[in-house]
């Protein structure tokens, strides 16, 4: 045995000998050293370099994991000793066994720990203007490919490093192209005026709980395959902040994160901060700004690994920036000008360069990688222990049950598949069963909490109770850093039951779920067909029918649920409806009698989606939802709206969530950010301006509909507005503050915007306005109490009671529909999509009467002071 160990040690030493053949450096490949002022390698150069490095070094492996949204390679670069790479399947199997202690005895685990390697995943450049880490990644890999110091030999022998040079390659390329375009001009170093992810911009780091974007799913695929002990995530923060941040995290920490992980993250972050400081670098912050509450920006800690975040101060992309000491800022837990226990040596100000960021990141990377190597057995042992804690969980609920009977099969399938992407184990009941005194039908889903990633399931399925943390004893409440709620059953509109006590059921494992096909009941001699409008699928089907030039009505007469979809008999309709039922889980039933009464004749809405040159993530999320579901739209910019004549092109114009100042005024010459910040090019300055606002007013007066989302509603709803006023305007955030919580509103289902909704609906409220409605305006949804909180955190709920969350204001022949929240929030709030879609259909509808002789159609785009009133709505409310 001793001879065998000696042999492997010798083999490892030989394998780690200095490379015999020359290995290309980044400087040789790019023509400059990473971190050089005003020099950036783009994604094509980076991928070519990593491929070349892998061909020259047996310590490097290059793999394309998949394609990005725009079709670029999403890559992973695996770095370790050649012997480790040659046996990567063996180490993957060790990781798999340690990740699930149910399959591994303690004695087996000891042997696996002795044999295993610390797996460290390094993720760079998720936020594309935080460009430095995409450059640092090339330097990391080169130094490990060529180095032969004791530290590097230890890292290569004890670690397997999976380097992701960019989590957003499309954005990396976009930012480099933009930067190079304006290099040497007055606009050098300004951020792009478009989103740097095709759809979601900065929100790509808020996608770790719902996995909507392809890049998120590719990264999760890597994590699920490797089961890393540590994930090092490189970010940048504001230029006036600390030079670099590391954990410990500030409170609160999600109680679903294992305490052993929290202690380990604290220790590793603190050690890394110390080792960076030992190099003589200043401005190193630990314990500040960033809490550890939300799974939207963290995946690994719910999968039993450490997350180490660094946030480095930014330059102007790759251009140096001058920051005087007195211009440095402050954040939660620190002031960048004041020495404290967690920030002992402030940076003194001056010139800050891309190369400085790269240097700090290299120090942090090697400190973390070396720590992972030195304490290999501890990290593997703790990893196994955290898994043991998860599968032997005694506290909290026993399980969550998703009953078979659901109102929206597609949303239910999405919830189950979201959990499965996150490696959560789910069972489906083969027979009826009972739990906590309730009966559940066959087909119900069971998610036990005592499983390796039960904490991930729990944090997504339970109600969040964000703690009340005062700024100091007896002082005001400290405002949360980020959103405080993510309860997916509320956001998806899916019923999920928490079960406290153990039960038994006959079940089968679930891999993925597909929503069942719809049902189309065809019968001879029918007058038409009816579809309930109470799911998103029914509205997607309505869009599909209108795109196919099918004549469709929404019924509003007595005896039907308002908004019921009616398709009269017409040529070829049965074949179209049969195909529709296969695509969407909807129930299409025949109507043997002629349908009579009030109705809306619906056309396919001609949608204009406003794109500000101050990029709005909400605009991107809206496009994502439209593109995912085949909803046609046209993007319009300031100049398009200023031209006027909008009614010739559109029925409805959407103003996505954005600050009203950004919409009206856009970028200024300096954008108010100070003399060291570059200007935006002239063609992107200014917003809608008076001319654009006049064009929108004329559009509404001539029958168009304007739909405003969240803060964009403040363009029209100010404190002094006559009919729809924002009651929160001017209220201090010390008196009212909701940074991201789930609230309950009551909905008027007689209004076309409320068609198909339940009487009460959860909404996602994030820095939102709230309306006082008077005069000719009408409230569509409103708050019914001082405390409408369903999940998260609220301060000042009394300001909401009796006020409106959605308002409709008539303007000439048209209207403005103001949402005091984001109905399509981050592609998550399925339960309020229908309210948004209804607003779009409302814009292209005409009132008519079915079954009456000589009835003339009347436009519902209406007149000033007029609203569509639904006859008999009280009788059909909530059906």
């Amino acid at each position: 045995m001793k001879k065998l160990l000696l042999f492997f040690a010798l083999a490892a030493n030989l394998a780690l000998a200095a490379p015999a053949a020359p290995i290309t450096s980044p400087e040789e490949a790019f023509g400059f050293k990473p971190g050089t002022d005003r020099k950036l390698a783009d994604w094509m150069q980076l991928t070519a370099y990593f491929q070349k490095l892998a061909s020259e070094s047996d310590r490097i492996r290059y793999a394309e994991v998949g394609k990005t949204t725009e079709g670029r390679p999403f890559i992973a670069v695996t770095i370790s000793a050649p012997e480790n790479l040659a046996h990567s399947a063996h180490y993957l199997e060790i990781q798999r066994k340690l990740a699930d202690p149910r399959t591994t005895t303690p004695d087996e685990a000891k042997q696996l720990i002795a044999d295993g390697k610390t797996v460290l995943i390094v993720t760079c450049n998720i936020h594309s203007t935080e460009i430095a880490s995409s450059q640092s990644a090339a330097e990391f890999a080169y130094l490990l490919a060529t180095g032969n110091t004791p530290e590097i030999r230890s890292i290569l022998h004890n670690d397997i490093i999976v380097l992701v040079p960019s989590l957003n390659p499309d954005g990396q390329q976009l930012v480099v192209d933009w930067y190079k375009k304006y290099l040497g001009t007055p606009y050098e170093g300004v951020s792009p005026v478009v989103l740097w992810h095709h759809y979601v911009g900065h929100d790509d780091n808020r996608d770790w709980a719902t996995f909507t974007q392809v890049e998120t799913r590719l990264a999760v695929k890597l994590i699920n395959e490797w089961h890393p002990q540590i994930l090092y995530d490189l970010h940048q923060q504001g230029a006036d902040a600390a030079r670099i941040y590391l954990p410990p995290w500030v409170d609160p920490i999600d109680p679903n994160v294992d305490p052993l992980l929290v202690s380990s993250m604290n220790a590793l972050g603190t050690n890394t901060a110390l080792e960076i400081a030992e190099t003589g670098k200043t401005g190193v912050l630990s314990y500040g700004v960033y809490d550890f509450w939300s799974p939207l920006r963290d995946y690994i800690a719910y999968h039993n690994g450490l997350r180490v975040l660094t946030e480095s101060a930014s330059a102007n992309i790759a251009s140096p920036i001058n920051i005087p000491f007195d211009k440095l800022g402050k954040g939660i837990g620190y002031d960048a000008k004041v020495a404290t226990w967690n920030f002992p040596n402030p940076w003194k100000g001056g010139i800050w360069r891309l190369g400085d960021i790269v240097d700090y990141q290299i120090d942090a990377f090697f400190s973390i990688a070396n720590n992972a190597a030195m304490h290999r057995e501890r990290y593997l042992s703790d990893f196994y222990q955290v898994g043991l804690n998860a599968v032997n969980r005694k506290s909290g609920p026993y399980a969550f049950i998703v009953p078979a009977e659901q109102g929206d099969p597609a949303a239910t399938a999405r919830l189950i598949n979201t959990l499965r992407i996150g490696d959560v184990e789910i069972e489906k009941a083969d027979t009826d069963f009972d739990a906590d005194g309730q009966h559940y039908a066959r087909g119900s889903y069971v998610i036990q909490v005592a499983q390796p990633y039960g904490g991930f399931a729990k944090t997504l399925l339970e109600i969040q109770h964000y703690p009340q943390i005062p700024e100091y004893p007896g002082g005001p409440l400290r405002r949360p850093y980020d959103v405080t709620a993510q309860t997916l059953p509320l956001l998806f509109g899916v019923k999920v039951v928490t079960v406290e006590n153990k039960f038994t059921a006959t079940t089968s494992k679930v891999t993925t779920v597909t929503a069942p096909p719809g049902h189309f009941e065809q019968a001879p001699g029918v007058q038409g067909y009816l579809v309930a409008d109470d799911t998103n699928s029914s509205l997607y089907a309505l869009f599909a029918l209108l795109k196919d030039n099918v004549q469709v009505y929404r019924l509003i007469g007595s005896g039907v649920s308002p908004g019921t979809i009616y398709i009269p008999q017409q040529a070829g309709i049965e074949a179209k409806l049969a195909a529709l039922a296969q695509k969407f889980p909807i129930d299409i039933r025949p109507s043997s009698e002629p349908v009579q009464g009030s109705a809306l004749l619906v056309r396919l809405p001609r949608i204009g989606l406003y794109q500000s040159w101050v990029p709005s993530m909400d605009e991107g999320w809206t496009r994502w939802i439209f593109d995912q579901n085949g909803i046609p739209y046209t993007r319009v910019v300031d100049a398009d709206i200023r031209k006027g004549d909008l009614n010739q092109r559109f029925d409805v114009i959407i103003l996505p969530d954005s600050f009203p100042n950004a919409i009206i005024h856009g970028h200024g010459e300096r954008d108010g950010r100070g003399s060291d910040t570059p200007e935006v090019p002239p063609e992107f300055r200014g917003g809608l301006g008076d001319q654009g606002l006049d064009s929108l007013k004329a559009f509404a007066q001539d029958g168009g509909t304007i739909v405003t989302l969240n803060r964009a509603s403040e363009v029209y709803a100010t404190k002094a507005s006559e009919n729809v006023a924002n009651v929160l305007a001017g209220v201090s955030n010390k008196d009212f503050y909701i940074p991201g919580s789930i609230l309950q509103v009551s909905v008027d289902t007689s209004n076309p915007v409320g068609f198909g909704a339940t009487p009460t609906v959860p909404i996602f409220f994030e820095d939102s306005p709230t309306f006082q409605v008077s005069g000719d305006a009408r409230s569509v949804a409103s708050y019914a109490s001082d405390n409408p909180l369903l999940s998260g955190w609220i301060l000042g709920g009394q300001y909401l009671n009796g006020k409106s969350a959605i308002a409709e204001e008539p303007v000439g022949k048209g209207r403005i529909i103001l949402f005091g929240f984001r109905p399509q929030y981050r592609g998550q709030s399925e339960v309020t999509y229908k309210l948004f879609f209804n607003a779009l259909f409302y814009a292209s509808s005409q009132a008519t009467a079915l079954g009456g002789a000589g009835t003339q159609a009347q436009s519902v785009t209406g007149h000033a002071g007029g609203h569509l009133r639904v006859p008999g709505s009280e009788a059909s409310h909530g059906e």
Side-chain angles (χ1 to χ4, degrees):
M1 183 65 179
K2 288 183 179 178
K3 289 182 179 179
L4 186 61
L5 291 173
L6 184 62
F7 170 77
F8 279 122
L10 180 62
N13 284 331
L14 290 172
L16 289 175
I23 292 179
T24 304
S25 70
E27 186 171 3
E28 291 168 327
F30 307 145
F32 57 88
K33 186 174 176 62
T36 302
D37 287 351
R38 298 180 172 86
K39 299 289 186 180
L40 292 172
D42 66 17
W43 192 240
M44 290 182 289
Q45 291 172 295
L46 287 168
T47 52
Y49 177 67
F50 286 117
Q51 286 176 295
K52 186 173 185 61
L53 201 59
S55 71
E56 295 175 343
S57 171
D58 57 2
R59 302 176 183 179
I60 308 286
R61 283 189 179 175
Y62 173 98
E64 182 175 310
V65 184
K67 296 294 187 184
T68 66
T69 300
E70 296 178 3
R72 292 183 176 85
F74 185 101
I75 69 168
V77 179
T78 308
I79 308 169
S80 193
E83 181 67 15
N84 294 343
L85 294 179
H87 296 90
S88 59
H90 170 64
Y91 292 111
L92 280 166
E93 182 65 9
I94 290 175
Q95 294 294 102
R96 187 190 66 78
K97 288 180 177 179
L98 291 176
D100 188 353
R102 297 169 303 182
T103 66
T104 309
T105 67
D107 286 342
E108 290 171 336
K110 286 180 183 178
Q111 185 58 50
L112 294 171
I113 291 165
D115 190 29
K117 307 298 178 185
T118 306
V119 174
L120 167 63
I121 289 185
V122 181
T123 53
C124 304
N125 189 227
I126 190 169
H127 294 149
S128 303
T129 51
E130 299 169 14
I131 198 70
S133 60
S134 69
Q135 312 298 294
S136 301
E139 198 71 11
F140 297 162
Y142 173 70
L143 292 172
L144 288 171
T146 58
N148 203 35
T149 65
E151 178 189 55
I152 286 179
R153 291 162 70 90
S154 174
I155 289 170
L156 292 171
H157 178 67
N158 291 289
D159 295 348
I160 296 175
I161 298 169
V162 182
L163 173 64
V164 182
S166 179
L167 284 167
N168 180 14
D170 297 338
Q172 201 278 347
Q173 187 68 49
L174 182 151
V175 167
V176 175
D177 288 346
W178 170 272
Y179 179 77
K180 289 180 177 178
K181 179 178 179 180
Y182 293 106
L183 191 62
T185 75
Y187 322 117
E188 176 185 314
V190 72
S191 289
V193 295
V194 295
L195 293 173
W196 51 79
H197 178 281
H198 184 81
Y199 286 118
V200 301
H202 196 86
D203 269 355
D204 56 359
N205 198 42
R206 300 296 186 275
D207 196 40
W208 296 104
T210 48
F211 321 117
T212 65
Q213 303 305 305
V214 63
E215 294 83 3
T216 314
R217 294 193 295 273
L218 291 171
V220 165
K221 177 183 175 183
L222 271 177
I223 294 169
N224 290 351
E225 177 184 16
W226 274 105
H227 301 289
Q229 279 74 40
I230 305 171
L231 187 146
Y232 171 33
D233 192 20
L234 289 83
H235 286 247
Q236 290 171 225
Q237 55 190 345
D240 65 346
R243 297 304 89 188
I244 193 168
Y245 158 83
L246 294 116
W249 314 95
V250 300
D251 289 326
I253 293 168
D254 185 351
N256 293 298
V257 177
D258 190 286
L260 182 56
L261 285 178
V262 177
S263 296
S264 191
M265 287 186 282
N266 291 347
L268 180 55
T270 301
N271 182 76
T272 305
L274 170 63
E275 293 189 351
I276 295 172
E278 286 174 337
T279 69
K281 293 181 173 65
T282 60
V284 182
L285 169 69
S286 59
Y287 185 77
V289 184
Y290 304 99
D291 66 28
F292 209 60
W293 179 257
S294 175
L296 300 183
R297 60 181 194 272
D298 170 57
Y299 180 81
I300 185 61
Y302 299 93
H303 291 77
N304 304 346
L306 284 68
R307 181 185 185 223
V308 181
L309 168 72
T310 59
E311 293 270 0
S312 303
S314 295
N316 283 339
I317 303 182
S319 298
I321 186 170
N322 182 33
I323 311 165
F325 181 76
D326 63 355
K327 298 298 182 182
L328 293 173
K330 62 178 66 176
I332 296 172
Y334 87 109
D335 183 326
K337 298 183 290 297
V338 179
T340 54
W341 70 268
N342 60 322
F343 189 61
N345 193 5
W347 183 65
K348 303 307 181 187
I351 303 298
W352 184 251
R353 303 176 184 278
L354 175 67
D356 295 320
I357 307 171
V358 170
D359 286 347
Y360 274 73
Q361 289 179 343
I362 288 173
D363 284 350
F365 169 77
F366 277 101
S367 174
I368 292 165
N370 189 47
N371 189 288
M374 291 173 60
H375 302 290
R376 178 189 62 80
E377 289 201 20
R378 188 183 77 189
Y379 284 116
L380 269 67
S381 179
D382 287 355
F383 181 73
Y384 179 70
Q385 183 61 53
V386 171
L388 275 175
N389 296 345
V391 300
N392 294 317
R393 180 191 294 264
K394 303 299 181 186
S395 62
Y398 175 75
F400 294 92
I401 295 176
V402 183
E405 303 85 358
Q406 296 285 345
D408 192 334
T412 305
R414 182 185 175 189
L415 177 64
I416 298 300
N417 289 332
T418 297
L419 293 170
R420 288 295 302 128
I421 291 171
D423 237 4
V424 173
E425 297 171 356
I426 301 176
E427 306 279 330
K428 187 175 184 179
D430 298 327
T431 60
D432 290 8
F433 66 98
D434 295 301
D436 273 5
Q438 298 294 317
H439 187 74
Y440 295 93
R442 174 179 177 270
S444 297
Y445 297 99
V446 178
I447 302 129
Q448 292 191 38
V449 177
Q451 58 168 294
Y453 313 124
F456 184 62
K458 185 170 175 285
T459 199
L460 296 186
L461 297 176
E462 69 184 0
I463 300 297
Q464 276 71 56
H465 301 283
Y466 190 93
Q468 307 282 342
I469 304 174
E471 291 185 10
Y472 49 86
L477 294 177
R478 190 176 75 200
R479 288 180 285 141
Y481 164 73
D482 204 343
V483 301
T484 62
Q486 67 272 347
T487 311
L488 293 189
L490 292 176
L491 292 170
F492 284 13
V494 176
K495 182 180 180 181
V496 176
V497 181
T498 304
V499 176
E500 297 294 337
N501 299 300
K502 187 175 181 179
F503 61 91
T504 58
T506 304
T507 61
S508 302
K509 287 187 177 181
V510 173
T511 51
T512 58
V513 174
T514 302
H519 177 68
F520 173 47
E521 184 181 343
Q522 188 173 345
V526 298
Q527 300 295 312
Y529 296 91
L530 298 168
V531 180
D533 69 336
D534 54 359
T535 66
N536 294 331
S537 294
S538 64
L539 299 186
Y540 297 143
L542 178 53
F543 275 113
L545 288 169
L546 296 174
K547 284 169 64 178
D548 204 18
N549 297 312
V550 173
Q551 188 179 46
V552 185
Y553 297 86
R554 300 187 80 178
L555 304 181
I556 55 176
S558 59
V560 296
S561 292
T564 296
I565 298 166
Y566 175 61
I567 306 105
Q569 184 59 255
Q570 50 201 285
I573 192 60
E574 278 78 11
K576 292 179 180 179
L577 294 179
L580 208 63
Q582 287 299 308
K583 185 175 182 181
F584 300 106
I586 57 175
D587 184 22
I588 306 172
R589 61 188 192 277
S591 176
S592 57
E593 300 296 327
V595 173
Q596 300 187 32
S598 300
L600 300 177
L601 174 63
V602 189
R603 292 183 296 104
L604 182 68
R606 299 173 301 162
I607 300 169
L609 177 60
Y610 172 62
Q611 178 194 349
S612 170
W613 295 125
V614 181
S616 163
M617 290 176 283
D618 199 52
E619 181 269 336
W621 281 113
T622 306
R623 279 189 288 110
W624 180 78
I625 291 170
F626 286 170
D627 288 347
Q628 291 292 301
N629 297 288
I631 299 172
Y633 64 96
T634 300
R635 296 169 79 176
V636 290
V637 297
D638 296 319
D640 298 319
I641 291 178
R642 291 193 214 108
K643 287 178 188 174
D645 205 22
L646 297 169
N647 300 79
Q648 297 301 310
R649 300 180 61 197
F650 303 111
D651 300 302
V652 57
I653 292 176
I654 302 165
L655 301 184
D657 174 54
S658 187
F659 288 110
N661 188 63
I663 294 172
I664 297 170
H665 302 294
H667 290 288
E669 289 190 8
R670 285 286 176 194
D671 200 28
R673 296 177 295 175
S675 61
D676 208 59
T677 300
E679 298 177 309
V680 170
E683 61 267 33
F684 302 116
R685 292 183 202 156
L688 292 175
D690 291 340
Q691 186 178 356
L693 292 175
D694 288 345
S695 293
L696 287 173
K697 183 177 180 180
F699 169 71
Q701 287 179 328
D702 288 345
T705 295
I706 301 169
V707 175
T708 59
L709 305 181
N710 208 42
R711 294 170 300 180
S713 296
E714 297 175 50
V715 170
Y716 297 101
T718 65
K719 185 176 183 178
S721 297
E722 183 177 353
N723 292 326
V724 181
N726 178 17
V727 298
L728 299 178
V731 177
S732 168
N733 58 27
K734 292 185 178 180
D735 297 319
F736 179 89
Y737 192 67
I738 304 176
S741 299
I742 302 173
L743 310 184
Q744 180 170 278
V745 297
S746 299
V747 179
D748 177 4
T749 59
S750 71
N751 186 292
V753 177
F755 282 171
T758 52
T760 59
V761 171
I763 67 165
F764 198 89
F765 188 110
E766 183 181 20
D767 301 327
S768 304
T770 298
F771 312 120
Q772 177 68 55
V773 174
S774 59
D776 294 329
R778 183 181 179 189
S779 177
V780 181
S782 59
Y783 301 98
S785 78
D786 283 352
N787 185 19
L789 181 68
L790 295 175
S791 186
W793 189 85
I794 186 171
L795 174 66
Q798 68 273 15
Y799 287 93
L800 302 178
N801 192 9
K803 302 304 187 291
S804 180
I806 307 175
E808 177 193 350
E809 181 176 10
V811 178
K813 298 177 183 178
R815 67 182 66 79
I816 304 172
I817 299 172
L818 304 96
F819 283 84
F821 58 97
R822 293 165 63 183
Q824 71 322 15
Y825 164 74
R826 286 177 171 162
Q828 297 176 22
S829 54
E830 292 257 359
V831 73
T832 49
Y833 282 10
K834 65 171 67 70
L835 303 175
F836 179 47
F837 296 151
N838 280 338
L840 306 181
F841 287 125
Y842 192 7
S844 59
S845 297
Q846 281 188 322
T848 188
L850 296 175
T855 300
Q856 300 296 315
Q858 297 175 336
S859 171
V860 302
T861 51
H863 57 279
H867 295 284
L868 176 65
R869 301 289 180 180
V870 178
S873 61
E874 295 81 1
S876 60
H877 186 75
E879 288 183 8

